[in-house]
Amino acid sequence: MSHKRIPKRKAVLAVGGVVALGAAAILLPNANASQDGASDGVTAAPRTLKAGDASDLATRLAGTLGDAWAGAWYDGEDKQLVVNVVRGENTMALKVRSAGAEVRWVDNSMAELEAGASTLKSEATIPGTSWAVDPRTNKILVTADSTVTGDQWDQLESTVEDLGSGMATLKKSAGTFRTFASGGDAIFAGGARCSLGFNVTAGDGSPAFLTAGHCAAAGDEWSDQQGGRPIATVDQALFPGAGDFALVTYDDPATEAPSEVNVGGQTVPIVQAAEATVGQQVFRMGSTTGLADGQVLGLDATVNYPEGTVTGLIQTDVCAEPGDSGGSLFTQDGLAIGLTSGGSGDCTVGGETFFQPVTTALEAVGATLGDGGAGAGDQAGGQEQGTGQEAGDGQGGAEDQAGAGDQAGGQDAGAGQDAGAGQDAGAGQDGVGGQDMRDGTGTGSGRHSGQDSGLSRTH
């Protein structure tokens, strides 16, 4: 992010750390990749879809299929949407095929899977655990970190077993679930730092940005240098509870906050926000580890951090480390997907990382992406063409946009153990700040962190 002292300051994201060349090689050559193989009209054969279009189609089919819907996932190799249909629902299966998706027969309905997740919440809400529905296995994926031992492990294992052998799987993670925190140059507040996620326009038209909610605990005013004068102020924040996100407004109303990112010296646009799809390839930017890529593993994940439970997150196998929290999750088509919340592991051995969905955050704070692009109500949209049946064919979802990297500036936010998340925007060498907000050592309390309460305002 640069804050040039000119009549119209321009706030953009920059790489906050060394770019991972392997991920960059995947991302940059495909920034303008277009959908191929799709045809007009109704067809019984699965369509070739971009991930963003597959997400749009999945959303429409979920509303069409009702109780027959059991989730969906994106087959990145064949570039097709696979939809789980409860056995015996032949009419609904025809609708799925007509819409251009592949049908997969399963035993567990979404209602049954959600009931299983509710049981876990009531009987096994243990710090260091998480669960999310995995449509590829048609089961609930339950994960326990290294701190879950003894009686707590026995309790969790027993609860999973009681759900039935075909309902859930349990695995152990070598790391510890935490919101990612670390020291370093970035956005400063109260001696702590975090990362900027995406530039947005607040509901009143003022320039602002999104980041992780646990970052807001360090203070309301953020500076682009340690001890420097504030450049932005926290407006709304939520953590823990039904999300981990914050809206921060720039103090100078003349600040331009374009929806673009500097990825290794190349500026790429973010075209809109979109829902994640299981199986989708995604990229994460953070000031500690740069660019990393991986897949979406689960949606509507519940994570029991030491600071409290957070719901509605995206689970991935993308690596992250302290200092990456608050950073951007995006696709090669320029779709904003999430904000780094926390997880376990690192970029040497891997691990699990959870993200706050951007669409949910935008809707909650009443903001729009960038300087007035797609609003919260149509973020996942793209332009689609219906098949004329109850479900559209999924063609034409997200447009081909240049630049895949989402606002992957150096960003990250991590909640530590005692102090709230900080914020800071370090100016880069060519005027682009490696923005990154990071918790110092602790959880946010007070105004910014109401457990299952609604958003908190700081002014």
Side-chain angles (χ1 to χ4, degrees):
M1 176 171 72
S2 78
H3 296 284
K4 299 177 180 178
R5 302 305 188 251
I6 55 179
K8 295 281 283 184
R9 292 187 304 168
K10 186 175 182 181
V12 297
L13 295 177
V15 174
V18 178
V19 173
L21 296 181
I26 299 172
L27 172 64
L28 298 179
N30 293 285
N32 294 308
S34 62
Q35 176 177 333
D36 58 14
S39 59
D40 295 329
V42 178
T43 176
R47 288 182 178 274
T48 298
L49 300 169
K50 292 193 300 183
D53 297 333
S55 176
D56 296 339
L57 178 56
T59 299
R60 295 200 307 278
L61 286 171
T64 298
L65 301 187
D67 293 340
W69 167 265
W73 55 282
Y74 183 65
D75 183 339
E77 183 175 347
D78 293 333
K79 293 183 169 51
Q80 295 173 349
L81 178 69
V82 181
V83 176
N84 292 340
V85 179
V86 177
R87 294 185 190 278
E89 296 284 356
N90 296 327
T91 300
M92 294 304 179
L94 288 175
K95 291 184 177 182
V96 171
R97 293 191 179 99
S98 296
E102 180 179 344
V103 172
R104 177 170 175 261
W105 297 107
V106 296
D107 294 320
N108 297 322
S109 69
M110 187 57 67
E112 290 171 328
L113 293 169
E114 290 174 348
S118 295
T119 299
L120 287 164
K121 178 180 179 181
S122 62
E123 299 182 15
T125 297
I126 300 167
T129 62
S130 71
W131 50 82
V133 172
D134 180 4
R136 287 177 292 191
T137 62
N138 190 227
K139 296 180 181 181
I140 303 169
L141 173 61
V142 183
T143 306
D145 72 13
S146 60
T147 67
V148 182
T149 58
D151 291 343
Q152 289 185 327
W153 171 260
D154 293 342
Q155 177 184 349
L156 180 63
E157 189 175 40
S158 175
T159 302
V160 170
E161 290 176 352
D162 288 345
L163 294 177
S165 60
M167 186 61 65
T169 58
L170 175 61
K171 76 169 189 173
K172 189 82 169 179
S173 173
T176 301
F177 289 158
R178 68 196 189 283
T179 44
F180 295 116
S182 179
D185 296 332
I187 305 178
F188 293 87
R193 76 162 185 163
C194 273
S195 294
L196 184 152
F198 296 96
N199 280 323
V200 299
T201 300
D204 62 1
S206 61
F209 60 86
L210 294 175
T211 188
H214 63 262
C215 291
D220 294 344
E221 297 182 332
W222 298 3
S223 172
D224 59 359
Q225 54 185 317
Q226 191 165 21
R229 72 180 184 85
I231 61 166
T233 302
V234 176
D235 181 75
Q236 303 176 57
L238 179 63
F239 175 85
D244 183 5
F245 56 87
L247 176 70
V248 185
T249 57
Y250 291 106
D251 295 337
D252 182 354
T255 298
E256 295 182 3
S259 190
E260 58 186 33
V261 182
N262 184 335
V263 181
Q266 175 175 337
T267 299
V268 293
I270 295 302
V271 300
Q272 64 185 43
E275 302 289 347
T277 303
V278 171
Q280 179 179 27
Q281 183 184 34
V282 286
F283 296 84
R284 175 202 53 75
M285 278 300 305
S287 64
T288 298
T289 57
L291 185 65
D293 69 306
Q295 284 192 356
V296 174
L297 301 180
L299 305 178
D300 197 20
T302 295
V303 185
N304 296 300
Y305 292 123
E307 300 86 2
T309 299
V310 180
T311 60
L313 301 182
I314 301 166
Q315 183 171 354
T316 76
D317 62 4
V318 182
C319 73
E321 295 184 6
D324 289 330
S325 199
S328 313
L329 185 72
F330 57 99
T331 71
Q332 66 179 18
D333 300 313
L335 303 179
I337 301 295
L339 307 166
T340 307
S341 174
S344 68
D346 56 39
C347 287
T348 299
V349 300
E352 300 85 18
T353 303
F354 300 91
F355 296 83
Q356 163 67 46
V358 171
T359 52
T360 304
L362 288 170
E363 182 178 5
V365 301
T368 54
L369 189 66
D371 34 338
D378 57 2
Q379 294 291 340
Q383 295 138 3
E384 323 171 90
Q385 300 174 348
T387 62
Q389 300 193 14
E390 290 183 51
D393 64 15
Q395 182 176 358
E399 297 178 1
D400 262 302
Q401 307 285 353
D406 73 325
Q407 321 218 9
Q411 312 156 321
D412 72 270
Q417 296 171 347
D418 298 305
Q423 311 145 343
D424 70 273
Q429 291 181 350
D430 36 351
V432 179
Q435 281 172 293
D436 146 280
M437 302 168 21
R438 208 171 296 184
D439 269 43
T441 46
T443 84
S445 58
R447 286 179 292 190
H448 302 298
S449 111
Q451 291 247 5
D452 289 305
S453 61
L455 293 174
S456 58
R457 282 189 173 273
T458 63
H459 61 282

